[in-house]
């Protein structure tokens, strides 16, 4: 069956959907010997599809892998770094590093916590699409003691790059003379959003740790928290929950979710 080339590359674990589009635009993908163009379709069982001169074989399609990593500080949320800095892929065993796994979204190098890794290109595309508001929960130490007025301003949204942030949940957990611990729940993920908003409001971030992505938590109920630098596989219930959050017809958590591509 013919499908768009970028979808094939994401399903085969070569790259995420957006990364695959970039590969095509850069002329690094060939279809039957010719440079492929964005939007072109192919059937991997009949057509010759190559990326950087390497042919994609139908038998190469990997099993989908879904991992939750507790990212340490100083590690980049990317697959490779030209400067040789450590990446989240370096934290995985070699057997996973060859299966086309990549991070879903990002955490700053200076931030820690929950990061989803997978080779499921469709799930990655849908989870990172702006139309889906999957909540992410953070524990954030900020400098000083933000007032109720400041926290209210953060909750209702502030202007970043000329666009107002979506409403956020911001709860004060505890404070000392010099710093305050906040729980922040976002339903969007702009670049360094929490740090930029905190700076704008006069209370720079001292430490930022993501504890959950949707219902996916570093410390599931009744279990110990995942240690920094380690990972675990997602349960079937957790996978189904993530997919239900980006499905046009959500199913109950733990139920069967019909997998299909969302139209754009």
């Amino acid at each position: 069956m013919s499908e768009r080339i970028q979808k094939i590359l994401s399903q085969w674990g070569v790259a995420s959907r957006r990364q695959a589009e970039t590969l095509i635009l850069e002329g690094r993908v060939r279809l039957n010997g010719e440079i492929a163009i964005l939007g072109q379709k192919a059937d991997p069982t009949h057509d010759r599809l190559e990326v950087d001169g390497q042919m994609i074989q139908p038998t190469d399609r990997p099993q989908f892998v879904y991992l939750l990593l507790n990212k340490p500080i100083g590690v980049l949320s990317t697959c490779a770094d030209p400067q040789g800095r450590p990446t989240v892929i370096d934290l995985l065993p070699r057997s996973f590093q060859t299966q086309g796994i990549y991070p879903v979204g990002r955490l700053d190098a200076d931030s820690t916590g929950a990061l989803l890794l997978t080779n499921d290109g469709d799930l990655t595309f849908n989870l990172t699409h702006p139309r889906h508001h999957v909540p992410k929960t953070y524990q954030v130490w900020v400098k000083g003691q933000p007032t109720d007025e400041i926290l209210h301003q953060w909750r209702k949204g502030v202007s970043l790059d000329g666009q107002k942030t979506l409403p956020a949940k911001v709860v004060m957990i505890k404070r000392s003379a010099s710093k305050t611990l906040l729980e922040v729940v976002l339903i969007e993920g702009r670049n360094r959003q929490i740090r930029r908003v905190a700076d704008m409001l006069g209370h720079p971030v001292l430490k930022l740790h993501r504890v959950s992505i949707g219902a996916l938590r570093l410390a599931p109920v009744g279990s110990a928290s995942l240690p920094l630098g380690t990972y675990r596989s997602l349960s079937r219930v957790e996978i189904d929950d993530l997919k239900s959050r980006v499905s046009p017809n959500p199913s109950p958590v733990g139920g069967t979710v019909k997998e299909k591509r969302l139209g754009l």
Side-chain angles (χ1 to χ4, degrees):
M1 181 178 69
S2 294
E3 294 183 297
R4 292 183 185 274
I5 292 174
Q6 58 263 40
K7 183 175 182 181
I8 294 172
L9 296 184
S10 69
Q11 290 177 334
W12 259 248
V14 175
S16 71
R17 188 90 64 90
R18 289 190 177 88
Q19 291 168 339
E21 291 174 355
T22 299
L23 290 175
I24 295 169
L25 291 172
E26 291 176 348
R28 296 165 60 185
V29 181
R30 287 183 174 269
L31 176 61
N32 298 323
E34 302 292 332
I35 295 177
I37 59 175
L38 198 61
Q40 197 170 7
K41 292 186 176 182
D43 182 345
T45 62
H46 297 95
D47 293 313
R48 181 183 179 89
L49 191 60
E50 300 171 79
V51 178
D52 292 334
Q54 289 194 320
M55 191 166 73
I56 305 299
Q57 302 280 4
T59 54
D60 290 340
R61 182 171 181 172
Q63 293 293 314
F64 285 148
V65 176
Y66 306 89
L67 305 174
L68 179 65
L69 174 76
N70 191 352
K71 189 190 87 66
I73 196 167
V75 176
L76 303 184
S77 298
T78 186
C79 294
D81 179 63
Q83 299 179 38
R85 292 171 294 182
T87 73
V88 292
I89 301 301
D90 296 328
L91 300 175
L92 304 180
R94 189 67 181 173
S95 58
F96 278 148
Q97 293 182 18
T98 59
Q99 294 190 44
I101 295 171
Y102 39 79
V104 179
R106 291 178 179 270
L107 273 175
D108 299 331
D110 293 336
S111 301
T112 61
L115 186 67
L116 177 64
L117 303 171
T118 186
N119 54 1
D120 185 337
D122 283 348
L123 179 61
T124 299
F125 180 80
N126 291 328
L127 282 174
T128 55
H129 196 281
R131 78 172 62 182
H132 300 298
H133 300 306
V134 178
K136 299 179 179 67
T137 304
Y138 302 81
Q139 290 181 347
V140 186
W141 281 101
V142 298
K143 185 177 181 180
Q145 298 183 349
T147 63
D148 290 341
E149 182 181 356
I150 290 291
L151 295 181
H152 176 70
Q153 189 176 354
W154 195 337
R155 293 180 188 115
K156 71 178 184 180
V158 301
S159 179
L160 284 182
D161 301 323
Q163 184 178 5
K164 191 174 183 179
T165 59
L166 294 177
K169 177 183 176 183
V170 184
V171 177
M172 195 275 288
I173 305 299
K174 62 181 177 180
R175 64 175 58 181
S176 68
S178 61
K179 60 184 180 180
T180 301
L181 177 61
L182 304 173
E183 180 181 86
V184 180
V185 182
L186 299 183
I187 56 173
E188 61 179 337
R190 302 198 210 173
N191 184 39
R192 298 178 66 85
Q193 180 172 336
I194 291 178
R195 293 181 184 275
R196 293 169 66 197
V197 171
D199 282 344
M200 184 180 299
L201 296 177
H203 296 276
V205 168
L206 302 174
K207 185 177 181 181
L208 190 153
H209 181 70
R210 186 158 68 194
V211 297
S212 68
I213 303 169
L216 190 60
R217 305 187 64 85
L218 289 175
V221 176
S223 301
S225 182
L226 192 64
L228 276 171
T230 64
Y231 69 92
R232 65 173 176 84
S233 297
L234 270 59
S235 69
R236 185 71 252 174
V237 170
E238 290 173 325
I239 296 169
D240 285 348
D241 174 73
L242 283 175
K243 291 183 177 182
S244 73
R245 291 174 183 272
V246 294
S247 169
N249 299 299
S251 300
V253 175
T256 300
V257 178
K258 183 177 181 180
E259 298 180 32
K260 58 182 179 180
R261 181 174 180 268
L262 300 182
L264 298 180

